[in-house]
Amino acid sequence: MEVAEPITLYQHMESRGVETDLRNLIYSFASIALDAQHHFPKYLRGTLGDKNKYGEAVAKLDEWVNGYLCDNLVKTGLVRKIYSEELREPLLATANPKAPFVVTLDPLDGSSNIITNNAFGSIVGVYKEDLPKKGKELVAAFYKLYGPVNTLVYSTGDGTHEFVKHYDSEGNARFYLLGENLKIPEPGEVFGIGGDPTEWDAKFLKFAKDLFRVERLKVRYCGTFVADFSQILHRGGIFAYPPTKKSPNGKLRLTYEAAPMAFIWEQAGGASWSGKESLLDVSALDVDARTPVYLGNKGLIERLKLALA
Ligand code: F6P
Ligand code: MN
């Protein structure tokens, strides 16, 4: 029996009618991220790789990845401004002032997992207009998960689709379709919650205990948002990073993390919640603002709302 040719990321976007500039941006990001990954080993401890001209140890991986992704995103000519979690000020692509997109970037999500060799990722949000904008104004969001296999998940508002890195017959790395129009499984199976439980609100603590006592969900938490998200995307359930006494807005950042991932999540049939509204409806003038994050199967988010009321 002949095996059908696997569908590449580019072919998939063409077949879904993703507009040319956006398609080229997503495809370019996928290639840039693959390339970046080849350099990771040099930057793991700052001791294995080169020293700079002053004889200092090389930059940490997250700083290096940020520079690499930003430089190469600018080179696509498709981006006029980048808001990055690693930059104090947004980067203006002065060579492309009329480029169609403004992007947000969490270049290395889950950096505490670098040293332990566990999964981490990169998250990108794409807007046509400059920020501040609500997440519902995103025209696309995607993430790359650097795990035992490398996956890329994207949405342009027309479902959520997942690809895996593999090699073509000539040895070139490509992203091939793993699943299109992903739907969060019902009932959910797993949950992951960040932050110090002794600092959670009492109502939330009860809700969390009920996740295993009543809902019978299993714990899955690795401390990388992208990887914990991938757990619930494939197995259903709930991920939360709630407020604590010390951090009343939780830990995750609205612009770089919560909004793009909520966009992908809601496109897969899930519900998002900030404690007040969908994460796609939250306004923030400050691009560095944090927000409580709750992403779950619709029924679980409804139960959460009742529990917190
Ligand atoms: O980007 C912040 C982050 O690394 C997320 O990837 C992750 O969900 C969270 O922090 C983990 O935080 P903690 O170490 O408090 O569990
Ligand atoms: Mn992050």
Side-chain angles (χ1 to χ4, degrees):
M1 194 179 81
E2 219 162 274
V3 180
E5 266 295 295
I7 297 170
T8 64
L9 172 64
Y10 200 84
Q11 288 167 338
H12 185 261
M13 290 191 287
E14 257 182 334
S15 74
R16 304 288 295 212
V18 176
E19 60 150 300
T20 312
D21 283 342
L22 192 53
R23 192 196 313 156
N24 287 336
L25 177 66
I26 297 172
Y27 184 74
S28 300
F29 171 80
S31 311
I32 296 163
L34 280 177
D35 218 34
Q37 195 181 4
H38 297 143
H39 300 276
F40 286 175
K42 283 194 275 177
Y43 298 93
L44 288 182
R45 305 283 188 276
T47 52
L48 294 174
D50 305 335
K51 302 226 162 153
N52 66 17
K53 61 182 176 179
Y54 306 107
E56 296 156 348
V58 288
K60 291 194 310 270
L61 185 60
D62 43 11
E63 286 162 5
W64 179 81
V65 178
N66 179 61
Y68 194 86
L69 295 183
C70 287
D71 289 352
N72 285 290
L73 280 169
V74 169
K75 280 189 200 150
T76 64
L78 293 164
V79 170
R80 63 181 189 278
K81 199 167 183 183
I82 301 175
Y83 290 84
S84 166
E85 197 176 305
E86 291 293 327
L87 296 175
R88 279 176 203 280
E89 298 295 330
L91 181 102
L92 275 177
T94 43
N96 330 312
K98 299 222 160 85
F101 303 116
V102 171
V103 304
T104 67
L105 180 64
D106 180 355
L108 211 160
D109 175 58
S111 22
S112 70
N113 273 334
I114 297 170
I115 197 164
T116 61
N117 189 23
N118 279 286
F120 48 81
S122 304
I123 307 170
V124 181
V126 185
Y127 294 87
K128 286 214 160 140
E129 310 287 331
D130 199 355
L131 300 181
K133 282 276 169 287
K134 294 182 177 180
K136 66 182 177 194
E137 305 291 336
L138 280 156
V139 293
F142 37 97
Y143 68 78
K144 167 123 194 282
L145 174 55
Y146 311 96
V149 294
N150 290 276
T151 51
L152 181 114
V153 171
Y154 88 87
S155 179
T156 55
D158 175 28
T160 288
H161 318 292
E162 184 174 46
F163 297 78
V164 63
K165 172 188 154 187
H166 199 44
Y167 296 89
D168 66 14
S169 51
E170 276 139 35
N172 302 309
R174 301 235 176 273
F175 278 106
Y176 291 110
L177 184 64
L178 258 187
E180 66 179 346
N181 296 321
L182 299 185
K183 287 287 166 255
I184 296 145
E186 288 283 358
E189 254 189 85
V190 296
F191 74 98
I193 306 178
D196 179 350
T198 64
E199 292 231 340
W200 294 342
D201 167 84
K203 288 178 179 169
F204 182 75
L205 182 62
K206 175 171 183 315
F207 172 80
K209 286 181 180 168
D210 283 351
L211 288 176
F212 55 85
R213 287 192 302 213
V214 179
E215 307 287 346
R216 311 299 295 162
L217 304 188
K218 290 190 283 191
V219 181
R220 288 288 185 276
Y221 188 79
C222 80
T224 287
F225 184 32
V226 166
D228 287 319
F229 180 96
S230 188
Q231 285 276 356
I232 54 166
L233 182 63
H234 290 284
R235 304 182 73 185
I238 187 163
F239 170 85
Y241 209 114
T244 59
K245 284 182 206 121
K246 279 187 215 123
S247 314
N249 291 317
K251 181 179 184 191
L252 300 181
R253 316 255 171 150
L254 174 67
T255 303
Y256 310 111
E257 298 174 309
M261 296 302 262
F263 186 81
I264 294 169
W265 183 250
E266 293 201 8
Q267 282 294 318
S272 76
W273 183 244
S274 70
K276 292 192 186 114
E277 58 208 326
S278 154
L279 285 163
L280 299 181
D281 284 323
V282 180
S283 320
L285 290 176
D286 173 7
V287 286
D288 295 316
R290 296 174 198 270
T291 177
V293 168
Y294 307 96
L295 299 170
N297 289 60
K298 282 182 174 156
L300 287 170
I301 295 294
E302 283 312 310
R303 263 163 266 168
L304 170 74
K305 290 179 193 172
L306 289 174
L308 297 184

